[in-house]
Amino acid sequence: MSDPEHGEPEPAGRRDAATELEELVFERFGVGELLPSESELATRLGVSRLTVREAIRSLRARGLVEIRKGRRPRVTTPGGDQIGDFFSTLLRRNPGSAFELLEVRHGLETQTSTLAANNAGSSEVSTMEMAIRAMERAEDAAEYHDADLRFHELLARASGNRMLTLLIEALAGSLRDSMITSYRGHLKLGGSHADAVEQHREVLERIRERDPGGAAEAMRRHLRTTERDLRAMFTSTSSGEPTDGAPAERETPES
């Protein structure tokens, strides 16, 4: 077999190195830590430095490490840019897709609320409380929506499930746009800033009380209200017919 430093590359060896390096990243290093040098990794994996370099590039393409000039690779959290871009594009092209996004939220955020009630520590509860207070003190819509999104991201992190956290963070842009629309609908229906905040506080109180079922139900109520508020923005009040791609209203089972 030729040496890839001086001759033809070793495709099989490169694939093995990428797999072993991936295992190393997940098992030995935390987010933010620097990987060993190329020469150290080459010795550990039993391959050439060029093979290590190609393996690192493969991991960078997948969002597992970041590379900065003159520094060793750093372990990072995979991004969800492609997922987020897809959802944002879909919402721009068809605003009625907000209802599909809401169905996704029902699955994700009911589960994050359940898990957070089981797993959240005092520090996570405190940071969520701070987000709710920021919503209460917000002096303009931008501040309010930033704090609202922050609460939902913190809720996902408090679940202790990295995949759920990644999905919520990937959807951040789309979630914020949807939150803006639903909040306008909330005000249009006579709702207030205070009762919008209270919906979030109900979720947090159930988490604080270690009540998974109650936390899930509080989130379901919040999302049912969100659906009603979205529908107020997409449905003609004069004709009662769905507009802008909004689906016909359907019953949501109580839990």
Side-chain angles (χ1 to χ4, degrees), residues 80-169:
D81 293 343
Q82 291 181 323
I83 297 175
D85 289 346
F86 172 78
F87 273 76
S88 294
T89 300
L90 194 60
L91 285 171
R92 283 196 303 271
R93 291 175 62 86
N94 178 14
S97 297
F99 291 93
E100 292 182 275
L101 176 60
L102 190 60
E103 290 176 344
V104 172
R105 290 184 63 188
H106 268 285
L108 294 180
E109 297 203 84
T110 301
Q111 183 66 2
T112 58
S113 300
T114 300
L115 292 173
N118 285 321
N119 301 325
S122 58
S123 61
E124 283 105 352
V125 170
S126 294
T127 54
M128 285 187 282
E129 177 66 40
M130 290 172 62
I132 289 177
R133 289 179 182 174
M135 292 170 68
E136 291 174 326
R137 296 193 303 266
E139 296 182 356
D140 57 43
E143 285 186 13
Y144 175 85
H145 295 306
D146 285 345
D148 187 1
L149 179 60
R150 174 72 173 160
F151 173 83
H152 289 271
E153 290 179 331
L154 290 169
L155 177 64
R157 293 178 194 175
S159 74
N161 186 306
R162 291 181 298 175
M163 291 187 181
L164 284 173
T165 302
L166 178 61
L167 286 170
I168 293 297
E169 291 178 351

Side-chain angles (χ1 to χ4, degrees), residues 4 6 22 32 48 51 66 73 84 106 113 115 118 142 151 157 161 174 183 188 190 198 215 218 220 240 242 244 247:
H6 303 96
E22 177 183 311
S48 70
T51 299
E66 63 178 2
H106 268 285
S113 300
L115 292 173
N118 285 321
F151 173 83
R157 293 178 194 175
N161 186 306
S174 299
Y183 186 71
K188 180 179 178 181
E198 185 58 27
R220 290 189 194 100
D244 293 317

